[in-house]
């Protein structure tokens, strides 16, 4: 099934209103997670929901993304159906250093994946350029970037603004790197295997119902590990179906940012 065309989104809708946008992102797309990514995208294609696929191009738990031709072909097909391909770090692993608070957040909240939370501008630029070059080698040119763990240091933000990408995201919003605008959109995601798993699932369902019903923009983040836990897939799909039934309009990050510019 082809992804449905997303209707226009105006600036007033970014702050709320009937038919407000919501974004679904599929995180951690890499050779090792190919089957999980394909599973999620099948669910979204069935619903006509365009997704933003967050690609990890470096060597993470195995082969580099450009070295997997089957995955690369699948990604091009997904883009042809209306999904977006975005950069999601380089190797998706935290680096040493940085303030104590950021190190704690990387270890506890982000489970060691916050690759860009403590980098200075030069180190961030090198990793970003490596990721972009790896994807360009297989014909993929991302328009945006989501840092692993949604954490980017001031140096990483400075590097992003210099590299010509259109947007980046944090846990609480979407940042237009060209205009400087920040659009508040909370990201809902599950916490598989942790003490907060059940509470997080309840929150995702309840928040999607409430926010979609009140026309508040939001995001739903899907991860490979969600599929290994009973009920989490059903929870995420229920949240998406609830949003669609309430009239919320799914869109990709790039589509959202460009339309909000007017």
């Amino acid at each position: 099934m082809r992804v449905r065309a997303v209707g226009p989104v105006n600036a007033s809708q970014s702050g709320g209103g009937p038919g407000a946008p919501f974004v679904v992102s599929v995180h951690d797309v890499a050779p090792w997670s190919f089957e999980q990514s394909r599973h999620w995208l099948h669910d979204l294609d069935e619903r006509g929901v365009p997704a933003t696929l967050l690609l990890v191009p470096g060597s993470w738990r195995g082969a580099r993304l450009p070295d997997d031709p089957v995955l690369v072909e699948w990604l091009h097909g997904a883009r042809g159906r209306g999904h977006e391909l975005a950069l999601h770090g380089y190797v998706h692993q935290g680096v040493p250093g940085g303030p104590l608070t950021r190190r704690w957040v990387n270890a506890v909240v982000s489970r060691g994946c916050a690759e860009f939370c403590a980098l200075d501008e030069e180190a961030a630029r090198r990793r970003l350029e490596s990721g972009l070059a790896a994807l360009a080698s297989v014909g993929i040119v991302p328009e945006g970037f989501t840092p692993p763990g949604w954490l980017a240091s001031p140096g990483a933000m400075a590097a992003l603004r210099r590299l010509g990408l259109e947007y980046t995201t944090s846990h609480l919003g979407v940042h237009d790197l060209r205009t400087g605008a920040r659009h508040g959109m909370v990201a809902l995601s599950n916490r598989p295997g942790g003490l907060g798993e059940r509470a997080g699932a309840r929150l995702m369902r309840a928040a999607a119902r409430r926010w979609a019903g009140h026309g508040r923009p939001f995001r739903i983040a899907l991860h490979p590990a969600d599929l290994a836990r009973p009920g989490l897939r059903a929870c995420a799909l229920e949240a998406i179906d609830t949003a669609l039934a309430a009239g919320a309009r799914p869109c990709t990050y790039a589509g959202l940012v460009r339309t909000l510019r007017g």
Side-chain angles (χ1 to χ4, degrees), residues 95-112 114 116-119 149 151-154:
V95 297
L100 180 60
T101 302
R102 285 183 173 268
R103 297 201 302 270
W104 180 87
V105 171
N106 173 51
V108 178
V109 179
S110 300
R111 302 186 181 185
F116 285 79
C117 77
L119 297 178
L151 292 171
S153 66

Side-chain angles (χ1 to χ4, degrees), residues 45-220:
D45 278 340
E46 284 192 328
R47 290 161 170 77
V49 172
T52 299
L53 306 183
L54 304 184
L55 314 183
V56 183
S59 180
W60 177 40
R61 300 188 185 180
R64 298 167 65 252
L65 188 152
D67 298 331
D68 189 330
V70 178
L71 172 57
V72 170
E73 182 180 5
W74 178 79
L75 289 171
H76 282 287
R79 183 173 58 186
R81 298 195 307 277
H83 301 292
E84 178 193 357
L85 308 181
L87 182 63
H88 188 42
Y90 183 53
V91 294
H92 204 273
Q93 295 174 347
V95 297
L100 180 60
T101 302
R102 285 183 173 268
R103 297 201 302 270
W104 180 87
V105 171
N106 173 51
V108 178
V109 179
S110 300
R111 302 186 181 185
C113 76
E115 181 179 4
F116 285 79
C117 77
L119 297 178
D120 62 25
E121 182 177 351
E122 178 61 23
R125 182 188 61 78
R126 289 196 300 268
R127 284 180 181 250
L128 290 165
E129 288 180 340
S130 294
L132 292 170
L135 294 179
S137 71
V138 290
I140 297 173
V141 181
E143 297 161 304
F145 172 75
T146 288
W150 283 299
L151 292 171
S153 66
M157 291 297 295
L160 284 165
R161 285 189 287 268
R162 293 176 178 273
L163 286 176
L165 290 166
E166 294 210 30
Y167 70 85
T168 187
T169 72
S170 64
H171 193 263
L172 299 180
V174 181
H175 307 258
D176 189 328
L177 292 169
R178 298 194 176 177
T179 68
R182 178 188 176 278
H183 308 291
M185 295 179 71
V186 174
L188 301 171
S189 63
N190 283 306
R191 293 284 292 177
L195 293 176
E197 179 177 311
R198 291 186 180 180
R202 289 195 297 269
L203 174 63
M204 175 179 284
R205 287 192 295 262
R209 183 179 300 109
R210 179 177 179 82
W211 293 345
H214 288 79
R216 176 178 173 180
F218 65 96
R219 298 175 285 155
I220 293 176

Side-chain angles (χ1 to χ4, degrees), residues 26 44 247:
V26 178
L44 297 174

